[in-house]
Amino acid sequence: MSHAFTTHVLNIVSGTEETVVDLTHDCESFLREVAGGRDGLLNVFVPHATAGIAVIETGAGSDSDLLAALHTLLPSDDRWRHRHGTPGHGRDHVLPALVPPHATLPVVSGQLELGTWQSVCLVDTNKDNANRQVRLSFLG
């Protein structure tokens, strides 16, 4: 079974500002090591209550647009009942309902099957936690 299922944890420093971190190259490197040209599924999971995984275009402004949209939907103000941490931190705990903490993606012949402009990204609006773990799991 160990050959069929392999997992690896990435340690990501996301910083103290809201950010979108492109994990695509990390995912591709992981698959080069473990997939061996096989078909399967890659699961990307962030085990944190205040971060999510998104499949979006990056580098052309979409990542900044996503953060702006989240800021509009989830303002950093005092409306949140969850009140520890920096002002507005309660919104960070609502984020995973909109940007889920996981994505499962197809792998064909050992290659991640993404569209031309798609990237796998960590979305982190929590300014209080600069260190994140992301678990990559391949089932082939």
Side-chain angles (χ1 to χ4, degrees):
M1 185 66 169
S2 63
H3 184 65
F5 181 82
T6 307
T7 191
H8 174 72
V9 175
L10 302 172
N11 292 302
I12 305 293
V13 178
S14 58
T16 57
E17 299 296 322
E18 298 175 3
T19 190
V20 175
V21 179
D22 191 338
L23 303 173
T24 308
H25 295 296
D26 294 303
C27 294
E28 292 169 338
S29 294
F30 172 67
L31 290 171
R32 275 193 299 278
E33 291 178 22
V34 303
R38 294 177 291 150
D39 293 352
L41 296 172
L42 174 68
N43 182 264
V44 183
F45 175 71
V46 56
H48 297 279
T50 58
I53 300 294
V55 178
I56 63 168
E57 177 181 9
T58 58
S62 296
D63 36 353
S64 296
D65 290 342
L66 173 60
L67 292 175
L70 289 171
H71 202 341
T72 299
L73 290 170
L74 305 171
S76 292
D77 58 23
D78 65 355
R79 73 182 69 199
W80 308 102
R81 293 179 191 191
H82 189 111
R83 292 185 182 260
H84 74 85
T86 57
H89 174 66
R91 81 182 199 112
D92 300 326
H93 288 273
V94 177
L95 173 78
L98 300 176
V99 181
H102 59 87
T104 301
L105 306 164
V107 176
V108 177
S109 300
Q111 303 283 323
L112 191 56
E113 282 291 299
L114 292 173
T116 302
W117 305 113
Q118 289 180 315
S119 297
V120 181
C121 299
L122 169 68
V123 179
D124 189 356
T125 60
N126 184 352
K127 299 175 185 181
D128 296 336
N129 188 353
N131 299 299
R132 299 298 189 161
Q133 292 186 330
V134 177
R135 179 172 296 278
L136 305 177
S137 300
F138 174 70
L139 177 63

